Amino acid sequence: MSTDTRPATGPTTEAQTSRLPVGTLVAGCFAVLLAQIALAMPATLNGLFQEDLHPVGSQLTWISDAFLLPVTVLELTFGVLGDLFGRKRLLVGGGALLVLGEALAAAGNGIHMLWVGQAIAGLGAAALFPTSLAVIAAGTHTARDRARTIAIWAACLSGGGIVAPVLGGVTGNYGSWRWAFIVVTGLAVVSTLLSQFLAQNSSAPAGRSLDIMGQITIGIGLFALLYAVIQGPSDGWTAPPVIIAYVVAAVFIALFVVAELRSDSPLLRLDLFTNRAFAVASFVAVVGMFSYLGTAYATSIRLGPIQHQSPLRGSFAFVLLNVWTFLLLPVIARLLERVSPRWVLGGGLALMAAGDFLAAAMPVHDTALTSLILPIGLVGAGFAFTVSSITATAVNTVPVHYAGMASASTSLLRDFGFTLGPAIIGAIALSRAANEFSAKLATSNLSGDVKGAAAAVLKEGGPLAVNSVPPTSPPGQASSLAFEALGNGYAVGYIVCGVAAVVCCLLSVVALRGDSDKEATAGVSADNR
């Protein structure tokens, strides 16, 4: 999520005060807490979605990415809209969109309505993530106050990642997945009211403008790319819709590049990528965050639709993944003051890789929560170091006067990596599991009727559907084969995430050597002057 902390560059619409109003701080922090809860909570409910809604093929993956896609594509644009038209309006509007989206998801009677609700809620979160920080930063007028309030905002962001799995686990375990969305709807109502009655409005329109063509082209390009990646395993990689989606993605991403090169106020400053070190840091931001959320998604599928563990038990893994960001915040802040961010980043990615490789070795029959502590704990701790240092690493590769642009660009790329995680890992794991299941089914001793029934379920809903049918039914007699195939498929997913983290670790430590440190030193020298 966006962590661009650039101060306002133009006059605010209201008179500046000497201190940040408490109401503005409360409204901004509650808004980012809400947005993070809404983003993270559905991952704990994938098992219930599979049991109740019976998604087929890649439909389960779209539940996560329907929310993530608008956050990735529109987050920076909403930041500009807040600067132009007032941040309070964006806080209130974003909260209202979350109320609508979460309510639709709770009331939905099928997977398609859940997608619609998630997409609308994602629009609201895309407004809240940047605006909640901007409205707080705009109300502070000293570096010390700004640092303190941003630390509070970051703690609320991390707190949302901890509250979300607990909320999803408790409501899903003792009620239903619908109750989880109902609770978030209530929290969104509270956030909207807090923003309306407590937040102080501010704006900074000077020098800000919308990059409409850039927004349209990148939106279409990323949606087409995700569609092709997610639908490939179920529709077939050579199916006409998938091929068309890849072509559309290539065309519109190329048009996005052209639009950005011509824009006076581009969504993404492409000239920054002429700096080799920044280009490397940007690659690490995308692939490193892909590794983390791919791990989180693989874990949610392993515990839910594969092992059929309760949401409450599943929430344990997500607390492990998220709690370290909150607990290690003071330690990481001190490290970033004393050593080059690339070392903190490289160390975090190494921990993530180690956790992923250990997770890949876990037998799919092992349902003990204690088995998750070491692998998932390592990934969570590694992510804490990585996400806290990735922006600092990227910013250190460019001259000081480009720091704000580098921070905003890194936020966009980081969120793009988050969006790719579920899409790519789901595609790899399901494709591998479907192939393995088909091969084992063909050579098994099961009767022809059972093989035919299981093959029909596989064709219609994929290996997750076979794993979820009643064991006493004809296709259910092949569920043990699907169970093993899915375990192996998602183990490959963990390995892919681990390899991605290793590559990023090496790039961070080796390819950024000298450039990052030199720029960091230059930045410190400039600050001292």
Side-chain angles (χ1 to χ4, degrees), residues 115-180:
W115 289 347
V116 172
Q118 281 285 88
I120 294 173
L123 286 172
L128 293 184
F129 278 121
T131 308
S132 60
L133 179 57
V135 75
I136 291 173
T140 59
H141 308 293
T142 67
R144 181 179 180 183
D145 286 345
R146 185 171 294 116
R148 181 167 56 244
T149 54
I150 289 174
I152 296 172
W153 178 90
C156 291
L157 177 67
S158 301
I162 299 170
V163 172
V166 176
L167 174 62
V170 171
T171 54
N173 202 69
Y174 297 106
S176 74
W177 61 266
R178 297 180 190 278
W179 274 105

Side-chain angles (χ1 to χ4, degrees), residues 160-488:
I162 299 170
V163 172
V166 176
L167 174 62
V170 171
T171 54
N173 202 69
Y174 297 106
S176 74
W177 61 266
R178 297 180 190 278
W179 274 105
F181 287 99
I182 290 172
V183 172
V184 179
T185 302
L187 294 176
V189 170
V190 172
S191 178
T192 304
L193 294 175
L194 288 175
S195 298
Q196 177 64 41
F197 294 108
L198 297 183
Q200 178 179 336
N201 192 30
S202 63
S203 64
R208 304 290 272 165
S209 62
L210 290 173
D211 178 15
I212 296 176
M213 286 305 299
Q215 186 64 81
I216 292 173
T217 52
I218 193 62
I220 296 174
L222 289 186
F223 176 78
L225 177 62
L226 286 176
Y227 178 88
V229 170
I230 293 173
Q231 294 300 126
S234 56
D235 295 353
W237 295 107
T238 58
V242 174
I243 294 175
I244 291 171
Y246 275 122
V247 172
V248 170
V251 169
F252 275 88
I253 290 174
L255 290 174
F256 170 73
V257 172
V258 173
E260 297 308 277
L261 291 173
R262 294 181 176 179
S263 175
D264 294 330
S265 182
L267 190 67
L268 184 64
R269 291 297 301 255
L270 298 182
D271 56 330
L272 289 175
F273 293 92
T274 60
N275 179 325
R276 181 186 63 84
F278 180 80
V280 171
S282 299
F283 175 85
V284 171
V286 174
V287 180
M289 296 306 99
F290 150 77
S291 174
Y292 171 74
L293 211 62
T295 302
Y297 182 74
T299 303
S300 74
I301 299 299
R302 173 189 169 92
L303 297 178
I306 297 177
Q307 294 183 337
H308 301 300
Q309 298 206 52
S310 70
L312 190 59
R313 286 175 63 86
S315 68
F316 174 77
F318 290 93
V319 171
L320 273 178
L321 282 171
N322 289 285
V323 73
W324 296 107
T325 306
F326 185 80
L327 295 178
L328 293 174
L329 194 62
V331 176
I332 297 170
R334 293 191 186 96
L335 278 175
L336 289 174
E337 292 175 358
R338 289 168 171 77
V339 300
S340 171
R342 70 185 177 90
W343 289 109
V344 182
L345 177 60
L349 289 163
L351 289 175
M352 288 173 58
D356 277 316
F357 292 138
L358 288 173
M362 290 189 300
V364 69
H365 296 279
D366 186 355
T367 60
L369 295 182
T370 52
S371 301
L372 299 173
I373 293 176
L374 180 58
I376 302 304
L378 283 174
V379 173
F383 173 72
F385 285 101
T386 301
V387 75
S388 299
S389 57
I390 186 64
T391 300
T393 303
V395 167
N396 281 343
T397 65
V398 301
V400 174
H401 61 281
Y402 283 133
M405 298 176 192
S407 175
S409 298
T410 304
S411 295
L412 174 64
L413 294 168
R414 188 176 60 236
D415 292 344
F416 178 50
F418 282 140
T419 306
L420 288 178
I424 293 179
I425 295 305
I428 291 172
L430 288 177
S431 181
R432 171 67 182 263
N435 291 336
E436 180 179 327
F437 175 76
S438 296
K440 289 185 175 179
L441 182 66
T443 58
S444 69
N445 295 324
L446 296 171
S447 67
D449 290 342
V450 170
K451 289 182 179 181
V457 174
L458 176 68
K459 183 178 180 180
E460 177 66 24
L464 284 172
V466 180
N467 186 59
S468 299
V469 297
T472 55
S473 65
Q477 296 179 42
S479 60
S480 61
L481 299 178
F483 181 77
E484 292 286 350
L486 286 165
N488 294 334

